[in-house]
């Protein structure tokens, strides 16, 4: 069975370097994503490969703690990461492309569930582990994120 795909995009009315910096710092996620209630940096230092975060994500079944590790950085074009959850991993990347005065941000990743089984979740509608899931709207990084700029 193919791994379920997570994908989406949004056009943001900000320059690419600004968008990159906000997205690269997962501590901004609670301001940008209403499904995230908490995010903290686990590794000290500047933006670099291996930087880790702990994120608390709300789902329809309660909260799930996720560990996010940055696995590739090409500022201001691309951020790759692995997100680990109790039920499996998501490995993917976010890309940033200039479009007019703004930036088109695209994300894509593959979910890999643990052998214990595939949960049914809002990200994978219908039957467990259904392949081909795609998020086409810009819900991930809402307008509120860009009205305040990056966190200090």
């Amino acid at each position: 069975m193919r791994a379920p795909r997570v994908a989406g995009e949004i056009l943001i009315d900000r320059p690419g370097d600004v968008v990159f910096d906000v997205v690269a710092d997962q501590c901004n996620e609670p301001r940008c994503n209403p499904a995230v209630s908490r995010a903290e940096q686990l590794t000290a230092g500047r933006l670099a490969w291996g930087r880790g975060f702990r994120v608390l994500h709300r789902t329809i079944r309660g909260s799930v703690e996720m560990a996010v590790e940055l696995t590739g950085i090409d500022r201001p074009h691309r951020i790759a990461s692995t997100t680990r959850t109790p039920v499996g991993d998501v490995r993917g990347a976010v890309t940033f492309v200039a479009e007019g005065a703004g930036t088109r941000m695209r994300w894509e990743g593959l979910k890999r569930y643990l052998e214990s089984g595939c949960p049914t979740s809002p990200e994978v509608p219908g039957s467990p582990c259904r392949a081909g899931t795609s998020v086409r709207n810009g819900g991930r990084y809402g307008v509120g994120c860009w009205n305040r700029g990056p966190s200090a």
Side-chain angles (χ1 to χ4, degrees), residues 47 78 102 107:
L47 178 64
R78 183 176 184 273
W107 58 93

Side-chain angles (χ1 to χ4, degrees), residues 18-43 45-48 50-57 64-73 78-85 90 92-94 96 105 107 140-141 145-146 149-152:
V18 172
V19 176
F20 181 95
D21 290 343
V22 169
V23 174
D25 184 350
Q26 289 282 310
C27 293
N28 289 313
E29 190 82 3
R31 291 186 311 125
C32 303
N33 184 345
V36 173
S37 60
R38 185 182 72 225
E40 61 183 304
Q41 185 174 330
L42 299 176
T43 52
R46 62 187 192 91
L47 178 64
R51 188 176 190 186
F53 298 88
R54 181 177 16 246
V55 177
L56 191 61
H57 192 276
V64 175
E65 189 169 288
M66 305 183 309
V68 178
E69 179 183 359
L70 301 183
T71 58
I73 299 165
R78 183 176 184 273
I79 302 167
S81 65
T82 296
T83 301
R84 291 181 173 78
T85 73
V90 177
V94 181
F96 309 88
M105 182 175 88
W107 58 93
R140 182 170 167 184
Y141 285 88
C145 188
W146 308 109
S151 64

